[in-house]
Short mmCIF file of all heavy atoms in Angstrom, two decimals:
data_model
loop_
_atom_site.label_atom_id
_atom_site.label_comp_id
_atom_site.label_asym_id
_atom_site.label_seq_id
_atom_site.Cartn_x
_atom_site.Cartn_y
_atom_site.Cartn_z
N LEU A 250 17.74 -13.81 -4.12
CA LEU A 250 18.31 -12.97 -5.17
C LEU A 250 19.02 -11.76 -4.55
O LEU A 250 18.60 -11.25 -3.51
CB LEU A 250 17.21 -12.48 -6.12
CG LEU A 250 16.50 -13.55 -6.94
CD1 LEU A 250 15.28 -12.96 -7.63
CD2 LEU A 250 17.45 -14.16 -7.98
N PRO A 251 20.10 -11.27 -5.19
CA PRO A 251 20.76 -10.06 -4.68
C PRO A 251 19.83 -8.84 -4.78
O PRO A 251 19.18 -8.63 -5.80
CB PRO A 251 21.97 -9.91 -5.62
CG PRO A 251 21.63 -10.71 -6.84
CD PRO A 251 20.76 -11.83 -6.37
N GLY A 252 19.76 -8.07 -3.71
CA GLY A 252 18.88 -6.90 -3.69
C GLY A 252 17.50 -7.19 -3.16
O GLY A 252 16.69 -6.26 -2.99
N ALA A 253 17.20 -8.46 -2.91
CA ALA A 253 15.85 -8.82 -2.44
C ALA A 253 15.53 -8.16 -1.10
O ALA A 253 14.40 -7.73 -0.86
CB ALA A 253 15.73 -10.34 -2.31
N THR A 254 16.54 -8.05 -0.21
CA THR A 254 16.32 -7.44 1.11
C THR A 254 15.86 -6.00 0.97
O THR A 254 14.96 -5.54 1.69
CB THR A 254 17.60 -7.50 1.95
OG1 THR A 254 18.04 -8.86 2.05
CG2 THR A 254 17.36 -6.95 3.35
N ASP A 255 16.47 -5.25 0.03
CA ASP A 255 16.08 -3.85 -0.19
C ASP A 255 14.62 -3.77 -0.65
O ASP A 255 13.87 -2.88 -0.22
CB ASP A 255 16.99 -3.21 -1.23
CG ASP A 255 18.43 -3.11 -0.76
OD1 ASP A 255 18.63 -3.03 0.48
OD2 ASP A 255 19.33 -3.13 -1.60
N GLY A 256 14.23 -4.69 -1.51
CA GLY A 256 12.86 -4.70 -2.00
C GLY A 256 11.87 -5.00 -0.89
O GLY A 256 10.80 -4.35 -0.80
N ILE A 257 12.19 -5.95 -0.04
CA ILE A 257 11.29 -6.33 1.07
C ILE A 257 11.19 -5.19 2.08
O ILE A 257 10.10 -4.90 2.59
CB ILE A 257 11.79 -7.62 1.73
CG1 ILE A 257 11.61 -8.80 0.75
CG2 ILE A 257 11.02 -7.90 3.02
CD1 ILE A 257 12.23 -10.09 1.22
N LEU A 258 12.31 -4.52 2.38
CA LEU A 258 12.27 -3.38 3.29
C LEU A 258 11.43 -2.25 2.72
O LEU A 258 10.69 -1.57 3.44
CB LEU A 258 13.69 -2.89 3.59
CG LEU A 258 14.53 -3.81 4.49
CD1 LEU A 258 15.96 -3.28 4.60
CD2 LEU A 258 13.90 -3.93 5.87
N TYR A 259 11.54 -2.03 1.41
CA TYR A 259 10.72 -1.01 0.74
C TYR A 259 9.24 -1.36 0.87
O TYR A 259 8.39 -0.50 1.08
CB TYR A 259 11.13 -0.92 -0.73
CG TYR A 259 10.37 0.13 -1.53
CD1 TYR A 259 10.81 1.45 -1.56
CD2 TYR A 259 9.23 -0.22 -2.25
CE1 TYR A 259 10.13 2.41 -2.29
CE2 TYR A 259 8.54 0.73 -2.98
CZ TYR A 259 8.99 2.03 -3.00
OH TYR A 259 8.30 2.99 -3.72
N TYR A 260 8.94 -2.63 0.74
CA TYR A 260 7.56 -3.13 0.83
C TYR A 260 7.00 -2.94 2.25
O TYR A 260 5.83 -2.56 2.42
CB TYR A 260 7.56 -4.62 0.44
CG TYR A 260 6.26 -5.35 0.66
CD1 TYR A 260 5.04 -4.84 0.21
CD2 TYR A 260 6.25 -6.59 1.30
CE1 TYR A 260 3.85 -5.55 0.40
CE2 TYR A 260 5.08 -7.31 1.49
CZ TYR A 260 3.88 -6.77 1.03
OH TYR A 260 2.71 -7.47 1.22
N LEU A 261 7.82 -3.19 3.27
CA LEU A 261 7.34 -3.18 4.65
C LEU A 261 7.41 -1.81 5.32
O LEU A 261 6.88 -1.63 6.42
CB LEU A 261 8.15 -4.18 5.49
CG LEU A 261 8.02 -5.66 5.10
CD1 LEU A 261 8.92 -6.52 5.97
CD2 LEU A 261 6.57 -6.13 5.23
N THR A 262 8.08 -0.85 4.70
CA THR A 262 8.22 0.49 5.31
C THR A 262 7.00 1.34 4.98
O THR A 262 6.74 1.66 3.82
CB THR A 262 9.49 1.20 4.79
OG1 THR A 262 10.62 0.38 5.05
CG2 THR A 262 9.65 2.55 5.47
N PRO A 263 6.19 1.69 5.99
CA PRO A 263 4.97 2.47 5.72
C PRO A 263 5.28 3.93 5.40
O PRO A 263 6.26 4.49 5.89
CB PRO A 263 4.19 2.35 7.03
CG PRO A 263 5.22 2.13 8.07
CD PRO A 263 6.33 1.37 7.42
N ARG A 264 4.42 4.52 4.56
CA ARG A 264 4.48 5.96 4.27
C ARG A 264 3.14 6.54 4.72
O ARG A 264 2.19 6.63 3.94
CB ARG A 264 4.72 6.19 2.78
CG ARG A 264 6.14 5.85 2.32
CD ARG A 264 6.35 6.13 0.86
NE ARG A 264 5.58 5.20 0.03
CZ ARG A 264 5.34 5.40 -1.27
NH1 ARG A 264 5.79 6.47 -1.87
NH2 ARG A 264 4.65 4.51 -1.95
N PHE A 265 3.09 6.96 5.97
CA PHE A 265 1.83 7.38 6.58
C PHE A 265 1.26 8.64 5.93
O PHE A 265 0.06 8.89 6.02
CB PHE A 265 2.02 7.60 8.08
CG PHE A 265 2.26 6.34 8.84
CD1 PHE A 265 3.51 6.06 9.37
CD2 PHE A 265 1.25 5.41 9.02
CE1 PHE A 265 3.75 4.89 10.07
CE2 PHE A 265 1.48 4.22 9.72
CZ PHE A 265 2.72 3.97 10.23
N GLN A 266 2.11 9.43 5.28
CA GLN A 266 1.61 10.64 4.64
C GLN A 266 0.64 10.33 3.50
O GLN A 266 -0.18 11.17 3.13
CB GLN A 266 2.77 11.51 4.13
CG GLN A 266 3.57 10.91 2.97
CD GLN A 266 4.71 10.01 3.43
OE1 GLN A 266 4.71 9.56 4.57
NE2 GLN A 266 5.67 9.76 2.56
N MET A 267 0.73 9.11 2.96
CA MET A 267 -0.18 8.73 1.87
C MET A 267 -1.62 8.59 2.35
O MET A 267 -2.55 8.63 1.54
CB MET A 267 0.29 7.41 1.25
CG MET A 267 1.65 7.47 0.59
SD MET A 267 1.71 8.61 -0.79
CE MET A 267 0.68 7.75 -1.98
N LEU A 268 -1.81 8.43 3.67
CA LEU A 268 -3.17 8.28 4.20
C LEU A 268 -3.96 9.58 4.10
O LEU A 268 -5.18 9.58 4.28
CB LEU A 268 -3.12 7.82 5.66
CG LEU A 268 -2.52 6.42 5.89
CD1 LEU A 268 -2.48 6.10 7.38
CD2 LEU A 268 -3.33 5.36 5.16
N HIS A 269 -3.30 10.69 3.82
CA HIS A 269 -4.01 11.96 3.63
C HIS A 269 -4.68 12.03 2.26
O HIS A 269 -5.49 12.93 2.02
CB HIS A 269 -3.03 13.14 3.79
CG HIS A 269 -2.48 13.28 5.17
ND1 HIS A 269 -3.25 13.65 6.26
CD2 HIS A 269 -1.23 13.11 5.66
CE1 HIS A 269 -2.51 13.70 7.34
NE2 HIS A 269 -1.27 13.36 7.02
N LYS A 270 -4.33 11.12 1.38
CA LYS A 270 -4.88 11.14 0.02
C LYS A 270 -6.12 10.26 -0.06
O LYS A 270 -6.03 9.04 0.16
CB LYS A 270 -3.84 10.66 -0.99
CG LYS A 270 -2.61 11.56 -1.06
CD LYS A 270 -1.65 11.10 -2.16
CE LYS A 270 -0.46 12.04 -2.26
NZ LYS A 270 0.47 11.64 -3.35
N PRO A 271 -7.29 10.84 -0.36
CA PRO A 271 -8.53 10.03 -0.43
C PRO A 271 -8.44 8.89 -1.43
O PRO A 271 -9.05 7.84 -1.24
CB PRO A 271 -9.60 11.05 -0.84
CG PRO A 271 -9.05 12.37 -0.40
CD PRO A 271 -7.56 12.26 -0.55
N LYS A 272 -7.67 9.09 -2.51
CA LYS A 272 -7.59 8.05 -3.55
C LYS A 272 -7.00 6.76 -2.99
O LYS A 272 -7.35 5.66 -3.45
CB LYS A 272 -6.75 8.53 -4.73
CG LYS A 272 -6.83 7.62 -5.94
CD LYS A 272 -6.08 8.19 -7.12
CE LYS A 272 -6.28 7.30 -8.35
NZ LYS A 272 -5.87 5.91 -8.15
N VAL A 273 -6.11 6.86 -1.99
CA VAL A 273 -5.54 5.67 -1.37
C VAL A 273 -6.64 4.84 -0.71
O VAL A 273 -6.67 3.61 -0.81
CB VAL A 273 -4.46 6.06 -0.35
CG1 VAL A 273 -3.99 4.85 0.45
CG2 VAL A 273 -3.27 6.70 -1.06
N TRP A 274 -7.58 5.53 -0.04
CA TRP A 274 -8.68 4.85 0.62
C TRP A 274 -9.64 4.24 -0.39
O TRP A 274 -10.15 3.13 -0.19
CB TRP A 274 -9.42 5.82 1.54
CG TRP A 274 -8.58 6.30 2.68
CD1 TRP A 274 -7.73 7.37 2.68
CD2 TRP A 274 -8.47 5.70 3.97
NE1 TRP A 274 -7.11 7.48 3.90
CE2 TRP A 274 -7.55 6.48 4.71
CE3 TRP A 274 -9.07 4.61 4.57
CZ2 TRP A 274 -7.21 6.17 6.02
CZ3 TRP A 274 -8.74 4.31 5.89
CH2 TRP A 274 -7.81 5.08 6.60
N VAL A 275 -9.88 4.96 -1.48
CA VAL A 275 -10.75 4.43 -2.54
C VAL A 275 -10.13 3.19 -3.16
O VAL A 275 -10.80 2.17 -3.38
CB VAL A 275 -11.00 5.51 -3.63
CG1 VAL A 275 -11.76 4.92 -4.81
CG2 VAL A 275 -11.77 6.68 -3.05
N ASP A 276 -8.83 3.25 -3.43
CA ASP A 276 -8.14 2.09 -4.00
C ASP A 276 -8.15 0.91 -3.04
O ASP A 276 -8.30 -0.25 -3.46
CB ASP A 276 -6.69 2.46 -4.35
CG ASP A 276 -6.60 3.38 -5.54
OD1 ASP A 276 -7.61 3.50 -6.27
OD2 ASP A 276 -5.55 4.01 -5.75
N ALA A 277 -8.00 1.19 -1.75
CA ALA A 277 -8.01 0.13 -0.75
C ALA A 277 -9.37 -0.55 -0.69
O ALA A 277 -9.47 -1.78 -0.63
CB ALA A 277 -7.65 0.69 0.63
N ALA A 278 -10.44 0.26 -0.72
CA ALA A 278 -11.80 -0.30 -0.68
C ALA A 278 -12.08 -1.14 -1.92
O ALA A 278 -12.61 -2.25 -1.84
CB ALA A 278 -12.82 0.82 -0.57
N THR A 279 -11.71 -0.60 -3.08
CA THR A 279 -11.95 -1.32 -4.34
C THR A 279 -11.21 -2.63 -4.36
O THR A 279 -11.74 -3.66 -4.77
CB THR A 279 -11.52 -0.45 -5.55
OG1 THR A 279 -12.19 0.81 -5.48
CG2 THR A 279 -11.88 -1.13 -6.85
N GLN A 280 -9.95 -2.62 -3.86
CA GLN A 280 -9.16 -3.85 -3.82
C GLN A 280 -9.78 -4.88 -2.89
O GLN A 280 -9.85 -6.07 -3.22
CB GLN A 280 -7.73 -3.52 -3.38
CG GLN A 280 -6.87 -4.74 -3.07
CD GLN A 280 -6.71 -5.69 -4.25
OE1 GLN A 280 -6.85 -5.26 -5.39
NE2 GLN A 280 -6.44 -6.95 -3.99
N ILE A 281 -10.26 -4.43 -1.72
CA ILE A 281 -10.89 -5.35 -0.77
C ILE A 281 -12.14 -5.98 -1.39
O ILE A 281 -12.37 -7.19 -1.28
CB ILE A 281 -11.23 -4.62 0.55
CG1 ILE A 281 -9.99 -4.46 1.41
CG2 ILE A 281 -12.31 -5.35 1.33
CD1 ILE A 281 -9.42 -5.77 1.95
N PHE A 282 -12.94 -5.17 -2.07
CA PHE A 282 -14.17 -5.69 -2.67
C PHE A 282 -13.86 -6.64 -3.83
O PHE A 282 -14.52 -7.66 -4.00
CB PHE A 282 -15.07 -4.54 -3.14
CG PHE A 282 -15.60 -3.73 -2.00
CD1 PHE A 282 -15.64 -2.35 -2.07
CD2 PHE A 282 -16.05 -4.33 -0.84
CE1 PHE A 282 -16.12 -1.59 -1.01
CE2 PHE A 282 -16.53 -3.59 0.22
CZ PHE A 282 -16.56 -2.22 0.14
N PHE A 283 -12.85 -6.30 -4.62
CA PHE A 283 -12.46 -7.21 -5.70
C PHE A 283 -11.88 -8.50 -5.14
O PHE A 283 -12.08 -9.57 -5.70
CB PHE A 283 -11.42 -6.53 -6.61
CG PHE A 283 -12.02 -5.84 -7.80
CD1 PHE A 283 -12.42 -4.52 -7.73
CD2 PHE A 283 -12.21 -6.51 -8.99
CE1 PHE A 283 -12.97 -3.88 -8.81
CE2 PHE A 283 -12.77 -5.89 -10.08
CZ PHE A 283 -13.15 -4.57 -10.00
N SER A 284 -11.14 -8.39 -4.05
CA SER A 284 -10.45 -9.54 -3.49
C SER A 284 -11.41 -10.47 -2.74
O SER A 284 -11.38 -11.68 -2.93
CB SER A 284 -9.34 -9.05 -2.56
OG SER A 284 -8.52 -10.10 -2.16
N LEU A 285 -12.26 -9.88 -1.88
CA LEU A 285 -13.18 -10.69 -1.09
C LEU A 285 -14.44 -11.07 -1.86
O LEU A 285 -15.04 -12.11 -1.61
CB LEU A 285 -13.57 -9.95 0.20
CG LEU A 285 -12.48 -9.77 1.25
CD1 LEU A 285 -13.04 -9.05 2.47
CD2 LEU A 285 -11.89 -11.11 1.66
N GLY A 286 -14.89 -10.21 -2.76
CA GLY A 286 -16.01 -10.58 -3.62
C GLY A 286 -17.39 -10.08 -3.27
O GLY A 286 -18.34 -10.38 -3.99
#
């Protein structure tokens, strides 16, 4: 699809400043537990 490359680059580009937010870690843990079970 047109524009797909921009979306994939947005997906793969890390924003390391978000790691300063505890909620990101909480969301990551919750997702892992929901995903793995």
Side-chain angles (χ1 to χ4, degrees):
L250 295 169
T254 304
D255 295 332
I257 291 172
L258 288 175
Y259 181 86
Y260 172 49
L261 296 177
T262 304
R264 288 182 291 165
F265 291 109
Q266 67 272 18
M267 297 298 291
L268 296 178
H269 294 292
K270 297 185 177 182
K272 191 175 185 303
V273 172
W274 294 88
V275 174
D276 289 344
T279 305
Q280 170 59 24
I281 281 293
F282 293 137
F283 266 90
S284 189
L285 291 181

